[in-house]
Amino acid sequence: MKATWILPDGREIGLEVKPGLSLMEAAVAGNVPGIIGECGGTMSCATCHVYVADGWQEAAGAPSDFEEAMLDATDAPRLACSRLSCQLEMGPQIDGIVLRVPAV
Ligand code: FES
């Protein structure tokens, strides 16, 4: 399965992502700049913040209440399409997803 990260400078990084892996884990393994994943996916750092690209927001689903609260603590501005990528698990529904990495 595949996911693509668009960096603030417009560069695109496309990676193969195994089903069940979070998009934070995939980004860290693939050295996507700007995705840190400091807390290891326990929703306590917000350093995995991404913007879900247009056309993918419905498939990505809505954040949980706790994720919502953490999204208010991100460095980059929070947008309606903001998600913590440690909470996005690769699967058939989001195969091919495109994420934008916020500029900080
Ligand atoms: Fe820390 Fe996602 S990795 S909140």
Side-chain angles (χ1 to χ4, degrees):
M1 295 183 171
K2 195 172 175 226
T4 300
W5 287 258
I6 302 176
L7 304 183
D9 65 6
R11 264 189 308 147
E12 295 189 12
I13 300 178
L15 296 172
E16 284 294 323
V17 182
K18 290 203 174 86
L21 205 63
S22 82
L23 295 184
M24 176 278 284
E25 292 170 304
V28 170
N31 294 314
V32 176
I35 305 295
I36 315 292
E38 200 171 292
C39 74
T42 57
M43 267 200 288
S44 58
C45 73
T47 63
C48 63
H49 180 206
V50 292
Y51 300 133
V52 177
D54 290 348
W56 285 100
Q57 288 151 22
E58 198 175 322
S64 66
D65 289 349
F66 192 76
E67 185 182 342
E68 278 282 355
M70 282 305 294
L71 283 167
D72 287 334
T74 55
D75 284 344
R78 189 200 166 155
L79 304 180
C81 59
S82 286
R83 292 297 307 269
L84 297 177
S85 56
C86 64
Q87 301 306 305
L88 295 171
E89 187 179 299
M90 180 50 85
Q93 205 182 344
I94 58 168
D95 184 14
I97 193 168
V98 179
L99 306 169
R100 290 187 295 117
V101 179
V104 279

PDB file of all heavy atoms in Angstrom, residues 59-102:
ATOM      1  N   ALA A  59     -12.151   9.541   3.908  1.00  0.00           N
ATOM      2  CA  ALA A  59     -11.585   8.198   4.085  1.00  0.00           C
ATOM      3  C   ALA A  59     -10.753   8.121   5.363  1.00  0.00           C
ATOM      4  O   ALA A  59     -10.733   7.090   6.041  1.00  0.00           O
ATOM      5  CB  ALA A  59     -10.720   7.836   2.875  1.00  0.00           C
ATOM      6  N   ALA A  60     -10.072   9.216   5.693  1.00  0.00           N
ATOM      7  CA  ALA A  60      -9.224   9.209   6.889  1.00  0.00           C
ATOM      8  C   ALA A  60     -10.058   9.188   8.162  1.00  0.00           C
ATOM      9  O   ALA A  60      -9.594   8.742   9.211  1.00  0.00           O
ATOM     10  CB  ALA A  60      -8.303  10.432   6.881  1.00  0.00           C
ATOM     11  N   GLY A  61     -11.279   9.659   8.079  1.00  0.00           N
ATOM     12  CA  GLY A  61     -12.161   9.644   9.249  1.00  0.00           C
ATOM     13  C   GLY A  61     -11.921  10.827  10.155  1.00  0.00           C
ATOM     14  O   GLY A  61     -11.081  11.694   9.885  1.00  0.00           O
ATOM     15  N   ALA A  62     -12.656  10.864  11.251  1.00  0.00           N
ATOM     16  CA  ALA A  62     -12.581  11.996  12.173  1.00  0.00           C
ATOM     17  C   ALA A  62     -11.692  11.642  13.358  1.00  0.00           C
ATOM     18  O   ALA A  62     -11.599  10.486  13.750  1.00  0.00           O
ATOM     19  CB  ALA A  62     -13.985  12.331  12.666  1.00  0.00           C
ATOM     20  N   PRO A  63     -11.022  12.643  13.906  1.00  0.00           N
ATOM     21  CA  PRO A  63     -10.199  12.380  15.087  1.00  0.00           C
ATOM     22  C   PRO A  63     -11.039  12.056  16.323  1.00  0.00           C
ATOM     23  O   PRO A  63     -12.180  12.513  16.431  1.00  0.00           O
ATOM     24  CB  PRO A  63      -9.427  13.688  15.293  1.00  0.00           C
ATOM     25  CG  PRO A  63     -10.117  14.716  14.484  1.00  0.00           C
ATOM     26  CD  PRO A  63     -10.947  14.029  13.459  1.00  0.00           C
ATOM     27  N   SER A  64     -10.469  11.290  17.237  1.00  0.00           N
ATOM     28  CA  SER A  64     -11.143  11.025  18.512  1.00  0.00           C
ATOM     29  C   SER A  64     -11.133  12.297  19.350  1.00  0.00           C
ATOM     30  O   SER A  64     -10.428  13.259  19.032  1.00  0.00           O
ATOM     31  CB  SER A  64     -10.400   9.923  19.270  1.00  0.00           C
ATOM     32  OG  SER A  64      -9.107  10.401  19.636  1.00  0.00           O
ATOM     33  N   ASP A  65     -11.887  12.302  20.440  1.00  0.00           N
ATOM     34  CA  ASP A  65     -11.927  13.486  21.309  1.00  0.00           C
ATOM     35  C   ASP A  65     -10.539  13.818  21.837  1.00  0.00           C
ATOM     36  O   ASP A  65     -10.142  14.969  21.912  1.00  0.00           O
ATOM     37  CB  ASP A  65     -12.875  13.255  22.494  1.00  0.00           C
ATOM     38  CG  ASP A  65     -14.328  13.237  22.048  1.00  0.00           C
ATOM     39  OD1 ASP A  65     -14.594  13.616  20.887  1.00  0.00           O
ATOM     40  OD2 ASP A  65     -15.195  12.841  22.851  1.00  0.00           O
ATOM     41  N   PHE A  66      -9.785  12.792  22.209  1.00  0.00           N
ATOM     42  CA  PHE A  66      -8.453  13.038  22.753  1.00  0.00           C
ATOM     43  C   PHE A  66      -7.520  13.597  21.685  1.00  0.00           C
ATOM     44  O   PHE A  66      -6.745  14.522  21.922  1.00  0.00           O
ATOM     45  CB  PHE A  66      -7.871  11.749  23.356  1.00  0.00           C
ATOM     46  CG  PHE A  66      -6.634  12.015  24.171  1.00  0.00           C
ATOM     47  CD1 PHE A  66      -6.726  12.560  25.435  1.00  0.00           C
ATOM     48  CD2 PHE A  66      -5.379  11.761  23.647  1.00  0.00           C
ATOM     49  CE1 PHE A  66      -5.580  12.835  26.176  1.00  0.00           C
ATOM     50  CE2 PHE A  66      -4.227  12.037  24.373  1.00  0.00           C
ATOM     51  CZ  PHE A  66      -4.327  12.582  25.646  1.00  0.00           C
ATOM     52  N   GLU A  67      -7.620  13.026  20.486  1.00  0.00           N
ATOM     53  CA  GLU A  67      -6.802  13.552  19.378  1.00  0.00           C
ATOM     54  C   GLU A  67      -7.180  15.005  19.107  1.00  0.00           C
ATOM     55  O   GLU A  67      -6.313  15.843  18.871  1.00  0.00           O
ATOM     56  CB  GLU A  67      -6.990  12.687  18.135  1.00  0.00           C
ATOM     57  CG  GLU A  67      -6.074  13.129  16.986  1.00  0.00           C
ATOM     58  CD  GLU A  67      -6.257  12.319  15.706  1.00  0.00           C
ATOM     59  OE1 GLU A  67      -6.819  11.209  15.764  1.00  0.00           O
ATOM     60  OE2 GLU A  67      -5.838  12.806  14.652  1.00  0.00           O
ATOM     61  N   GLU A  68      -8.458  15.286  19.134  1.00  0.00           N
ATOM     62  CA  GLU A  68      -8.932  16.677  18.959  1.00  0.00           C
ATOM     63  C   GLU A  68      -8.220  17.607  19.923  1.00  0.00           C
ATOM     64  O   GLU A  68      -7.744  18.677  19.544  1.00  0.00           O
ATOM     65  CB  GLU A  68     -10.439  16.770  19.243  1.00  0.00           C
ATOM     66  CG  GLU A  68     -11.337  16.364  18.110  1.00  0.00           C
ATOM     67  CD  GLU A  68     -11.439  17.446  17.060  1.00  0.00           C
ATOM     68  OE1 GLU A  68     -10.894  18.538  17.254  1.00  0.00           O
ATOM     69  OE2 GLU A  68     -12.041  17.167  16.017  1.00  0.00           O
ATOM     70  N   ALA A  69      -8.150  17.207  21.167  1.00  0.00           N
ATOM     71  CA  ALA A  69      -7.531  18.054  22.185  1.00  0.00           C
ATOM     72  C   ALA A  69      -6.047  18.235  21.887  1.00  0.00           C
ATOM     73  O   ALA A  69      -5.507  19.332  22.008  1.00  0.00           O
ATOM     74  CB  ALA A  69      -7.734  17.436  23.566  1.00  0.00           C
ATOM     75  N   MET A  70      -5.383  17.158  21.469  1.00  0.00           N
ATOM     76  CA  MET A  70      -3.954  17.255  21.162  1.00  0.00           C
ATOM     77  C   MET A  70      -3.707  18.126  19.940  1.00  0.00           C
ATOM     78  O   MET A  70      -2.696  18.814  19.838  1.00  0.00           O
ATOM     79  CB  MET A  70      -3.367  15.863  20.910  1.00  0.00           C
ATOM     80  CG  MET A  70      -3.089  15.064  22.141  1.00  0.00           C
ATOM     81  SD  MET A  70      -2.021  15.926  23.305  1.00  0.00           S
ATOM     82  CE  MET A  70      -0.478  16.008  22.381  1.00  0.00           C
ATOM     83  N   LEU A  71      -4.634  18.111  19.010  1.00  0.00           N
ATOM     84  CA  LEU A  71      -4.459  18.910  17.791  1.00  0.00           C
ATOM     85  C   LEU A  71      -4.460  20.406  18.094  1.00  0.00           C
ATOM     86  O   LEU A  71      -3.929  21.202  17.329  1.00  0.00           O
ATOM     87  CB  LEU A  71      -5.555  18.574  16.771  1.00  0.00           C
ATOM     88  CG  LEU A  71      -5.329  17.252  16.019  1.00  0.00           C
ATOM     89  CD1 LEU A  71      -6.589  16.841  15.283  1.00  0.00           C
ATOM     90  CD2 LEU A  71      -4.166  17.365  15.053  1.00  0.00           C
ATOM     91  N   ASP A  72      -5.025  20.758  19.223  1.00  0.00           N
ATOM     92  CA  ASP A  72      -4.997  22.171  19.613  1.00  0.00           C
ATOM     93  C   ASP A  72      -3.623  22.569  20.130  1.00  0.00           C
ATOM     94  O   ASP A  72      -3.364  23.742  20.370  1.00  0.00           O
ATOM     95  CB  ASP A  72      -6.060  22.444  20.678  1.00  0.00           C
ATOM     96  CG  ASP A  72      -7.455  22.429  20.071  1.00  0.00           C
ATOM     97  OD1 ASP A  72      -7.577  22.703  18.868  1.00  0.00           O
ATOM     98  OD2 ASP A  72      -8.415  22.137  20.794  1.00  0.00           O
ATOM     99  N   ALA A  73      -2.733  21.598  20.319  1.00  0.00           N
ATOM    100  CA  ALA A  73      -1.408  21.889  20.883  1.00  0.00           C
ATOM    101  C   ALA A  73      -0.296  21.747  19.845  1.00  0.00           C
ATOM    102  O   ALA A  73       0.872  21.666  20.194  1.00  0.00           O
ATOM    103  CB  ALA A  73      -1.144  20.944  22.054  1.00  0.00           C
ATOM    104  N   THR A  74      -0.647  21.706  18.584  1.00  0.00           N
ATOM    105  CA  THR A  74       0.383  21.542  17.555  1.00  0.00           C
ATOM    106  C   THR A  74       1.140  22.848  17.333  1.00  0.00           C
ATOM    107  O   THR A  74       0.608  23.928  17.567  1.00  0.00           O
ATOM    108  CB  THR A  74      -0.244  21.106  16.214  1.00  0.00           C
ATOM    109  OG1 THR A  74      -1.257  22.050  15.868  1.00  0.00           O
ATOM    110  CG2 THR A  74      -0.853  19.725  16.316  1.00  0.00           C
ATOM    111  N   ASP A  75       2.389  22.743  16.868  1.00  0.00           N
ATOM    112  CA  ASP A  75       3.193  23.937  16.565  1.00  0.00           C
ATOM    113  C   ASP A  75       2.612  24.695  15.378  1.00  0.00           C
ATOM    114  O   ASP A  75       2.449  25.909  15.427  1.00  0.00           O
ATOM    115  CB  ASP A  75       4.634  23.528  16.225  1.00  0.00           C
ATOM    116  CG  ASP A  75       5.410  23.162  17.482  1.00  0.00           C
ATOM    117  OD1 ASP A  75       4.938  23.513  18.578  1.00  0.00           O
ATOM    118  OD2 ASP A  75       6.474  22.534  17.357  1.00  0.00           O
ATOM    119  N   ALA A  76       2.343  23.965  14.307  1.00  0.00           N
ATOM    120  CA  ALA A  76       1.806  24.595  13.099  1.00  0.00           C
ATOM    121  C   ALA A  76       0.312  24.849  13.298  1.00  0.00           C
ATOM    122  O   ALA A  76      -0.331  24.180  14.115  1.00  0.00           O
ATOM    123  CB  ALA A  76       2.028  23.682  11.909  1.00  0.00           C
ATOM    124  N   PRO A  77      -0.236  25.809  12.580  1.00  0.00           N
ATOM    125  CA  PRO A  77      -1.659  26.097  12.733  1.00  0.00           C
ATOM    126  C   PRO A  77      -2.522  24.868  12.506  1.00  0.00           C
ATOM    127  O   PRO A  77      -2.244  24.047  11.633  1.00  0.00           O
ATOM    128  CB  PRO A  77      -1.935  27.129  11.628  1.00  0.00           C
ATOM    129  CG  PRO A  77      -0.616  27.690  11.280  1.00  0.00           C
ATOM    130  CD  PRO A  77       0.407  26.643  11.574  1.00  0.00           C
ATOM    131  N   ARG A  78      -3.553  24.774  13.298  1.00  0.00           N
ATOM    132  CA  ARG A  78      -4.486  23.675  13.140  1.00  0.00           C
ATOM    133  C   ARG A  78      -5.505  24.018  12.055  1.00  0.00           C
ATOM    134  O   ARG A  78      -6.064  25.108  12.060  1.00  0.00           O
ATOM    135  CB  ARG A  78      -5.221  23.444  14.447  1.00  0.00           C
ATOM    136  CG  ARG A  78      -6.020  22.178  14.326  1.00  0.00           C
ATOM    137  CD  ARG A  78      -7.106  22.047  15.278  1.00  0.00           C
ATOM    138  NE  ARG A  78      -7.929  20.968  14.779  1.00  0.00           N
ATOM    139  CZ  ARG A  78      -8.687  20.242  15.520  1.00  0.00           C
ATOM    140  NH1 ARG A  78      -8.757  20.485  16.794  1.00  0.00           N
ATOM    141  NH2 ARG A  78      -9.399  19.289  14.990  1.00  0.00           N
ATOM    142  N   LEU A  79      -5.721  23.091  11.142  1.00  0.00           N
ATOM    143  CA  LEU A  79      -6.720  23.281  10.089  1.00  0.00           C
ATOM    144  C   LEU A  79      -7.800  22.214  10.243  1.00  0.00           C
ATOM    145  O   LEU A  79      -7.636  21.254  11.005  1.00  0.00           O
ATOM    146  CB  LEU A  79      -6.068  23.150   8.702  1.00  0.00           C
ATOM    147  CG  LEU A  79      -4.872  24.066   8.403  1.00  0.00           C
ATOM    148  CD1 LEU A  79      -4.352  23.807   6.995  1.00  0.00           C
ATOM    149  CD2 LEU A  79      -5.251  25.540   8.570  1.00  0.00           C
ATOM    150  N   ALA A  80      -8.868  22.373   9.482  1.00  0.00           N
ATOM    151  CA  ALA A  80      -9.951  21.387   9.546  1.00  0.00           C
ATOM    152  C   ALA A  80      -9.461  20.005   9.126  1.00  0.00           C
ATOM    153  O   ALA A  80     -10.005  18.987   9.560  1.00  0.00           O
ATOM    154  CB  ALA A  80     -11.107  21.837   8.652  1.00  0.00           C
ATOM    155  N   CYS A  81      -8.422  19.968   8.287  1.00  0.00           N
ATOM    156  CA  CYS A  81      -7.909  18.684   7.788  1.00  0.00           C
ATOM    157  C   CYS A  81      -6.733  18.174   8.615  1.00  0.00           C
ATOM    158  O   CYS A  81      -6.062  17.224   8.219  1.00  0.00           O
ATOM    159  CB  CYS A  81      -7.502  18.827   6.323  1.00  0.00           C
ATOM    160  SG  CYS A  81      -6.233  20.084   6.081  1.00  0.00           S
ATOM    161  N   SER A  82      -6.472  18.780   9.774  1.00  0.00           N
ATOM    162  CA  SER A  82      -5.353  18.339  10.614  1.00  0.00           C
ATOM    163  C   SER A  82      -5.633  16.978  11.238  1.00  0.00           C
ATOM    164  O   SER A  82      -6.748  16.713  11.686  1.00  0.00           O
ATOM    165  CB  SER A  82      -5.135  19.334  11.766  1.00  0.00           C
ATOM    166  OG  SER A  82      -4.545  20.525  11.323  1.00  0.00           O
ATOM    167  N   ARG A  83      -4.606  16.144  11.274  1.00  0.00           N
ATOM    168  CA  ARG A  83      -4.672  14.866  12.002  1.00  0.00           C
ATOM    169  C   ARG A  83      -3.310  14.575  12.608  1.00  0.00           C
ATOM    170  O   ARG A  83      -2.289  15.088  12.160  1.00  0.00           O
ATOM    171  CB  ARG A  83      -5.026  13.691  11.053  1.00  0.00           C
ATOM    172  CG  ARG A  83      -6.415  13.685  10.482  1.00  0.00           C
ATOM    173  CD  ARG A  83      -7.517  13.547  11.521  1.00  0.00           C
ATOM    174  NE  ARG A  83      -7.349  12.395  12.403  1.00  0.00           N
ATOM    175  CZ  ARG A  83      -7.854  11.183  12.166  1.00  0.00           C
ATOM    176  NH1 ARG A  83      -8.569  10.975  11.091  1.00  0.00           N
ATOM    177  NH2 ARG A  83      -7.651  10.191  13.018  1.00  0.00           N
ATOM    178  N   LEU A  84      -3.333  13.734  13.634  1.00  0.00           N
ATOM    179  CA  LEU A  84      -2.082  13.176  14.140  1.00  0.00           C
ATOM    180  C   LEU A  84      -1.848  11.898  13.347  1.00  0.00           C
ATOM    181  O   LEU A  84      -2.676  10.976  13.376  1.00  0.00           O
ATOM    182  CB  LEU A  84      -2.203  12.868  15.634  1.00  0.00           C
ATOM    183  CG  LEU A  84      -2.440  14.072  16.545  1.00  0.00           C
ATOM    184  CD1 LEU A  84      -2.603  13.615  17.993  1.00  0.00           C
ATOM    185  CD2 LEU A  84      -1.317  15.088  16.432  1.00  0.00           C
ATOM    186  N   SER A  85      -0.725  11.846  12.638  1.00  0.00           N
ATOM    187  CA  SER A  85      -0.553  10.706  11.728  1.00  0.00           C
ATOM    188  C   SER A  85      -0.296   9.399  12.456  1.00  0.00           C
ATOM    189  O   SER A  85      -0.408   8.328  11.856  1.00  0.00           O
ATOM    190  CB  SER A  85       0.523  10.989  10.677  1.00  0.00           C
ATOM    191  OG  SER A  85       1.755  11.325  11.255  1.00  0.00           O
ATOM    192  N   CYS A  86       0.003   9.454  13.772  1.00  0.00           N
ATOM    193  CA  CYS A  86       0.132   8.191  14.512  1.00  0.00           C
ATOM    194  C   CYS A  86      -1.229   7.529  14.695  1.00  0.00           C
ATOM    195  O   CYS A  86      -1.307   6.367  15.081  1.00  0.00           O
ATOM    196  CB  CYS A  86       0.813   8.399  15.860  1.00  0.00           C
ATOM    197  SG  CYS A  86      -0.101   9.429  17.026  1.00  0.00           S
ATOM    198  N   GLN A  87      -2.288   8.280  14.421  1.00  0.00           N
ATOM    199  CA  GLN A  87      -3.644   7.733  14.570  1.00  0.00           C
ATOM    200  C   GLN A  87      -4.246   7.302  13.239  1.00  0.00           C
ATOM    201  O   GLN A  87      -5.409   6.906  13.170  1.00  0.00           O
ATOM    202  CB  GLN A  87      -4.556   8.763  15.255  1.00  0.00           C
ATOM    203  CG  GLN A  87      -4.058   9.171  16.629  1.00  0.00           C
ATOM    204  CD  GLN A  87      -3.829   7.968  17.535  1.00  0.00           C
ATOM    205  OE1 GLN A  87      -4.733   7.155  17.743  1.00  0.00           O
ATOM    206  NE2 GLN A  87      -2.614   7.832  18.058  1.00  0.00           N
ATOM    207  N   LEU A  88      -3.470   7.420  12.174  1.00  0.00           N
ATOM    208  CA  LEU A  88      -3.931   6.989  10.849  1.00  0.00           C
ATOM    209  C   LEU A  88      -3.266   5.663  10.534  1.00  0.00           C
ATOM    210  O   LEU A  88      -2.050   5.597  10.339  1.00  0.00           O
ATOM    211  CB  LEU A  88      -3.572   8.039   9.794  1.00  0.00           C
ATOM    212  CG  LEU A  88      -4.260   9.398   9.949  1.00  0.00           C
ATOM    213  CD1 LEU A  88      -3.647  10.408   8.985  1.00  0.00           C
ATOM    214  CD2 LEU A  88      -5.755   9.271   9.717  1.00  0.00           C
ATOM    215  N   GLU A  89      -4.049   4.615  10.519  1.00  0.00           N
ATOM    216  CA  GLU A  89      -3.495   3.280  10.290  1.00  0.00           C
ATOM    217  C   GLU A  89      -3.706   2.882   8.838  1.00  0.00           C
ATOM    218  O   GLU A  89      -4.835   2.958   8.320  1.00  0.00           O
ATOM    219  CB  GLU A  89      -4.194   2.279  11.217  1.00  0.00           C
ATOM    220  CG  GLU A  89      -3.578   0.902  11.171  1.00  0.00           C
ATOM    221  CD  GLU A  89      -4.299  -0.039  12.121  1.00  0.00           C
ATOM    222  OE1 GLU A  89      -4.307   0.239  13.337  1.00  0.00           O
ATOM    223  OE2 GLU A  89      -4.865  -1.041  11.655  1.00  0.00           O
ATOM    224  N   MET A  90      -2.624   2.475   8.204  1.00  0.00           N
ATOM    225  CA  MET A  90      -2.743   2.075   6.800  1.00  0.00           C
ATOM    226  C   MET A  90      -3.650   0.865   6.643  1.00  0.00           C
ATOM    227  O   MET A  90      -3.568  -0.095   7.409  1.00  0.00           O
ATOM    228  CB  MET A  90      -1.347   1.764   6.229  1.00  0.00           C
ATOM    229  CG  MET A  90      -1.375   1.343   4.766  1.00  0.00           C
ATOM    230  SD  MET A  90      -2.324   2.463   3.691  1.00  0.00           S
ATOM    231  CE  MET A  90      -1.090   3.715   3.315  1.00  0.00           C
ATOM    232  N   GLY A  91      -4.538   0.965   5.672  1.00  0.00           N
ATOM    233  CA  GLY A  91      -5.456  -0.124   5.354  1.00  0.00           C
ATOM    234  C   GLY A  91      -6.094   0.194   4.013  1.00  0.00           C
ATOM    235  O   GLY A  91      -5.820   1.258   3.440  1.00  0.00           O
ATOM    236  N   PRO A  92      -6.942  -0.686   3.501  1.00  0.00           N
ATOM    237  CA  PRO A  92      -7.514  -0.492   2.168  1.00  0.00           C
ATOM    238  C   PRO A  92      -8.217   0.861   2.003  1.00  0.00           C
ATOM    239  O   PRO A  92      -8.184   1.447   0.928  1.00  0.00           O
ATOM    240  CB  PRO A  92      -8.530  -1.635   2.045  1.00  0.00           C
ATOM    241  CG  PRO A  92      -8.150  -2.617   3.076  1.00  0.00           C
ATOM    242  CD  PRO A  92      -7.380  -1.911   4.147  1.00  0.00           C
ATOM    243  N   GLN A  93      -8.802   1.348   3.091  1.00  0.00           N
ATOM    244  CA  GLN A  93      -9.576   2.585   2.986  1.00  0.00           C
ATOM    245  C   GLN A  93      -8.711   3.802   2.663  1.00  0.00           C
ATOM    246  O   GLN A  93      -9.162   4.749   2.024  1.00  0.00           O
ATOM    247  CB  GLN A  93     -10.314   2.828   4.301  1.00  0.00           C
ATOM    248  CG  GLN A  93     -11.538   3.660   4.106  1.00  0.00           C
ATOM    249  CD  GLN A  93     -12.253   3.940   5.428  1.00  0.00           C
ATOM    250  OE1 GLN A  93     -12.005   3.283   6.429  1.00  0.00           O
ATOM    251  NE2 GLN A  93     -13.138   4.908   5.413  1.00  0.00           N
ATOM    252  N   ILE A  94      -7.465   3.791   3.123  1.00  0.00           N
ATOM    253  CA  ILE A  94      -6.615   4.965   2.880  1.00  0.00           C
ATOM    254  C   ILE A  94      -5.390   4.622   2.028  1.00  0.00           C
ATOM    255  O   ILE A  94      -4.432   5.401   1.994  1.00  0.00           O
ATOM    256  CB  ILE A  94      -6.197   5.672   4.196  1.00  0.00           C
ATOM    257  CG1 ILE A  94      -5.440   4.728   5.137  1.00  0.00           C
ATOM    258  CG2 ILE A  94      -7.402   6.286   4.880  1.00  0.00           C
ATOM    259  CD1 ILE A  94      -4.763   5.470   6.294  1.00  0.00           C
ATOM    260  N   ASP A  95      -5.441   3.493   1.346  1.00  0.00           N
ATOM    261  CA  ASP A  95      -4.340   3.152   0.436  1.00  0.00           C
ATOM    262  C   ASP A  95      -4.244   4.238  -0.645  1.00  0.00           C
ATOM    263  O   ASP A  95      -5.225   4.521  -1.330  1.00  0.00           O
ATOM    264  CB  ASP A  95      -4.622   1.791  -0.196  1.00  0.00           C
ATOM    265  CG  ASP A  95      -3.482   1.313  -1.071  1.00  0.00           C
ATOM    266  OD1 ASP A  95      -2.382   1.886  -0.980  1.00  0.00           O
ATOM    267  OD2 ASP A  95      -3.708   0.373  -1.854  1.00  0.00           O
ATOM    268  N   GLY A  96      -3.075   4.862  -0.744  1.00  0.00           N
ATOM    269  CA  GLY A  96      -2.883   5.934  -1.726  1.00  0.00           C
ATOM    270  C   GLY A  96      -3.029   7.328  -1.142  1.00  0.00           C
ATOM    271  O   GLY A  96      -2.883   8.327  -1.850  1.00  0.00           O
ATOM    272  N   ILE A  97      -3.285   7.417   0.151  1.00  0.00           N
ATOM    273  CA  ILE A  97      -3.550   8.706   0.809  1.00  0.00           C
ATOM    274  C   ILE A  97      -2.405   9.704   0.585  1.00  0.00           C
ATOM    275  O   ILE A  97      -1.237   9.320   0.448  1.00  0.00           O
ATOM    276  CB  ILE A  97      -3.809   8.498   2.331  1.00  0.00           C
ATOM    277  CG1 ILE A  97      -4.402   9.767   2.954  1.00  0.00           C
ATOM    278  CG2 ILE A  97      -2.548   8.056   3.057  1.00  0.00           C
ATOM    279  CD1 ILE A  97      -4.941   9.548   4.367  1.00  0.00           C
ATOM    280  N   VAL A  98      -2.790  10.971   0.538  1.00  0.00           N
ATOM    281  CA  VAL A  98      -1.820  12.053   0.373  1.00  0.00           C
ATOM    282  C   VAL A  98      -1.919  12.966   1.595  1.00  0.00           C
ATOM    283  O   VAL A  98      -3.021  13.367   2.003  1.00  0.00           O
ATOM    284  CB  VAL A  98      -2.104  12.862  -0.913  1.00  0.00           C
ATOM    285  CG1 VAL A  98      -1.089  14.002  -1.063  1.00  0.00           C
ATOM    286  CG2 VAL A  98      -2.069  11.942  -2.138  1.00  0.00           C
ATOM    287  N   LEU A  99      -0.760  13.244   2.188  1.00  0.00           N
ATOM    288  CA  LEU A  99      -0.690  14.084   3.391  1.00  0.00           C
ATOM    289  C   LEU A  99       0.235  15.263   3.117  1.00  0.00           C
ATOM    290  O   LEU A  99       1.259  15.106   2.446  1.00  0.00           O
ATOM    291  CB  LEU A  99      -0.112  13.275   4.562  1.00  0.00           C
ATOM    292  CG  LEU A  99      -0.814  11.962   4.879  1.00  0.00           C
ATOM    293  CD1 LEU A  99       0.024  11.157   5.872  1.00  0.00           C
ATOM    294  CD2 LEU A  99      -2.199  12.216   5.444  1.00  0.00           C
ATOM    295  N   ARG A 100      -0.092  16.400   3.666  1.00  0.00           N
ATOM    296  CA  ARG A 100       0.820  17.538   3.567  1.00  0.00           C
ATOM    297  C   ARG A 100       1.495  17.729   4.923  1.00  0.00           C
ATOM    298  O   ARG A 100       0.836  17.660   5.967  1.00  0.00           O
ATOM    299  CB  ARG A 100       0.057  18.798   3.157  1.00  0.00           C
ATOM    300  CG  ARG A 100      -0.413  18.715   1.692  1.00  0.00           C
ATOM    301  CD  ARG A 100      -1.017  20.007   1.205  1.00  0.00           C
ATOM    302  NE  ARG A 100      -2.247  20.339   1.914  1.00  0.00           N
ATOM    303  CZ  ARG A 100      -2.425  21.411   2.686  1.00  0.00           C
ATOM    304  NH1 ARG A 100      -1.434  22.276   2.852  1.00  0.00           N
ATOM    305  NH2 ARG A 100      -3.569  21.623   3.280  1.00  0.00           N
ATOM    306  N   VAL A 101       2.793  17.948   4.889  1.00  0.00           N
ATOM    307  CA  VAL A 101       3.547  18.176   6.115  1.00  0.00           C
ATOM    308  C   VAL A 101       3.503  19.669   6.415  1.00  0.00           C
ATOM    309  O   VAL A 101       3.867  20.475   5.560  1.00  0.00           O
ATOM    310  CB  VAL A 101       5.012  17.706   5.954  1.00  0.00           C
ATOM    311  CG1 VAL A 101       5.804  17.968   7.228  1.00  0.00           C
ATOM    312  CG2 VAL A 101       5.054  16.221   5.587  1.00  0.00           C
ATOM    313  N   PRO A 102       3.056  20.039   7.620  1.00  0.00           N
ATOM    314  CA  PRO A 102       2.969  21.466   7.935  1.00  0.00           C
ATOM    315  C   PRO A 102       4.353  22.120   7.978  1.00  0.00           C
ATOM    316  O   PRO A 102       5.334  21.479   8.350  1.00  0.00           O
ATOM    317  CB  PRO A 102       2.345  21.496   9.333  1.00  0.00           C
ATOM    318  CG  PRO A 102       1.803  20.141   9.571  1.00  0.00           C
ATOM    319  CD  PRO A 102       2.584  19.202   8.715  1.00  0.00           C
TER     320      PRO A 102
END
